[in-house]
Amino acid sequence: MAVDHDTSSAKFAEYAAPGRLVSTEWLAANLGTPGLVVVESDEDVLLYETGHIPGAVKVDWHTELNDPVVRDYVDGEGFAELMSRKGISRDDTVVIYGDKNNWWAAYALWVFSLFGHEDVRLLDGGRDRWIAEGREITTEKTERAATDYPVVERDDSVLRAYKDDVLAFIGKGPLIDVRSPEEYNGERTPAPAYPEEGSLRAGHIPTAQSVPWGRAVAEDGGFKTRAELEEIYRDGAGIKDGDDIIAYCRIGERSSHTWFVLQHLLGFENVRNYDGSWTEWGSAVRVPIVSGSEPGSL
Amino acid sequence: MAGMTDTHVPATLAEFRDEFLELPEPDRLELLLEFANELPSVSDEIASHPEMCERVAECQSPVYIYVEVEGGVVAMHAMAPPEAPTTRGFASILVQGLTGLTVDEVLAVPNDYPQSIGLTRLVSPLRIGGMTGMLMRAKRQVEAKR
């Protein structure tokens, strides 16, 4: 049974899918509601243990959502096992929050979506806002009874782009590069603080527009209003209704944040995340690369 | 003097490693969190002079280290924010494990020590790379200041 949407926010009401966000007030008032599971997903694998929203379970992007051997996500059986272990049922409403303006929360939400988990939402403002508002956190371990989550095969065809898809896509629709301008220009291969996620070549995919992910974030740490987002992505990056869109970054987590904005807040219907992103493209043999600040062409 | 290829895990680091390995995997993260909470604060002098410190670029979160060598004995200091407990945990293991050792003992610590403490699968190889970066930078500072 899905839990009611948060209809208290005038900002949310403007979005294409207002139900994809909840406010901290709403979450505080709805903790413990049957059918609602709160998930924390952070960059730092220990942050949850230092204190989390009461009743929240942790899902780690690296050790739980990724396959340990192949560079891929877990398969249908792996996801079902994970969900069962976390106490999440297929028809539960899942609210995800995390550090770094919900990078990893958005990434987890995107992976949940690959498995067609229907009702997944983000906490606007993420972990930082919850804590800044002085709301309750606990180090108490969350115990949830295991569930019987069905094995659902992952469907990569709608929300995920592979390298070959991107190659064939160049020139056919907007490609959005959400990394820092230095990474886009090719002055710097790894993100400023992430040298271990390097690649052999620097620059961007031909035709890609540079729209750093953080432009979608307001000063208060939540998402910007719909009008502000329209200005950035429609007026600024030239995305139009009906466009197929692919977003990428370095490993696909910041572009999940942008994917969320384009798909759910602005309502574009064909948005894919290229999770191979620069760590794959920048090391692949003979793929076209452009350096400098212009999008370039094939 | 130890040659480049002679490695030896000093007693404190060996003890830390064994403590991790003796625990069942799920409990090891809690031990890492204990280390994170134990990271000593740096002196006011170091805290107020960030230029003395070296940023560890291999870590995803801002962490700064400063290594002193006095009379052939090493003291390591590190600063990392509370919202980066994994990084604090790594720093704490090295600060506690390297401080008090001689220069040669620090230089003899194997570069793959971070891979030996049973955390790679739990925190991911990527994150363990941050600890390796911290160790290598500490050794380089020791070498430069010996």
Side-chain angles (χ1 to χ4, degrees), chain A residues 10 17 44 109 118 152 160 172-173 178 259 268 286:
Chain A
D44 192 298
L109 182 145
E118 184 97 15
V152 182
R160 188 180 187 194
K172 301 205 171 75
V178 316
W259 169 85
F268 291 104
R286 302 189 76 215

Side-chain angles (χ1 to χ4, degrees), chain A residues 5 20 33 48 58 64 68 146 149 164 186 233 237 284 298:
Chain A
H5 289 159
R20 290 291 177 174
T33 302
Y48 169 91
K58 166 169 109 171
E64 294 184 313
Y149 198 95
D164 289 346
Y233 294 98
L298 250 194

Side-chain angles (χ1 to χ4, degrees), chain A residues 43 190-199 250-251 279, chain B residues 56-61 124-131:
Chain A
E43 176 170 291
Y194 299 75
E196 72 277 24
E197 289 174 20
S199 46
R250 192 182 64 249
I251 55 169
T279 49
Chain B
V56 181
E58 290 81 2
C59 283
Q60 297 185 340
S61 307
S124 88
L126 195 75
R127 288 164 173 146
I128 278 287
M131 186 177 183

Side-chain angles (χ1 to χ4, degrees), chain B residues 114-135:
Chain B
Q115 275 97 52
S116 72
I117 58 177
L119 288 174
T120 307
R121 201 154 55 133
L122 287 167
V123 307
S124 88
L126 195 75
R127 288 164 173 146
I128 278 287
M131 186 177 183
T132 307
M134 220 181 290
L135 173 62

Side-chain angles (χ1 to χ4, degrees), chain A residues 42-50 58 60-63 99-100 104 141 192-197 250-251, chain B residues 27 29-30 32-33 36 55 57-61 82-87 121-127 130:
Chain A
D42 298 315
E43 176 170 291
D44 192 298
V45 69
L46 268 180
L47 195 54
Y48 169 91
E49 277 79 4
T50 66
K58 166 169 109 171
D60 185 63
W61 65 281
H62 213 302
T63 59
D99 60 356
K100 306 237 165 179
W104 310 93
K141 273 193 179 159
Y194 299 75
E196 72 277 24
E197 289 174 20
R250 192 182 64 249
I251 55 169
Chain B
D27 296 342
L29 281 186
E30 283 171 31
L32 185 61
L33 186 57
R55 165 94 196 243
E58 290 81 2
C59 283
Q60 297 185 340
S61 307
E83 61 270 20
T86 302
T87 302
R121 201 154 55 133
L122 287 167
V123 307
S124 88
L126 195 75
R127 288 164 173 146

Side-chain angles (χ1 to χ4, degrees), chain A residues 220-243:
Chain A
D220 67 3
F223 287 102
K224 283 185 177 160
T225 64
R226 178 153 191 181
E228 292 168 324
L229 295 173
E230 301 273 4
E231 202 181 311
I232 294 165
Y233 294 98
R234 283 183 191 268
D235 308 346
I239 301 176
K240 302 183 304 294
D241 287 327
D243 276 346

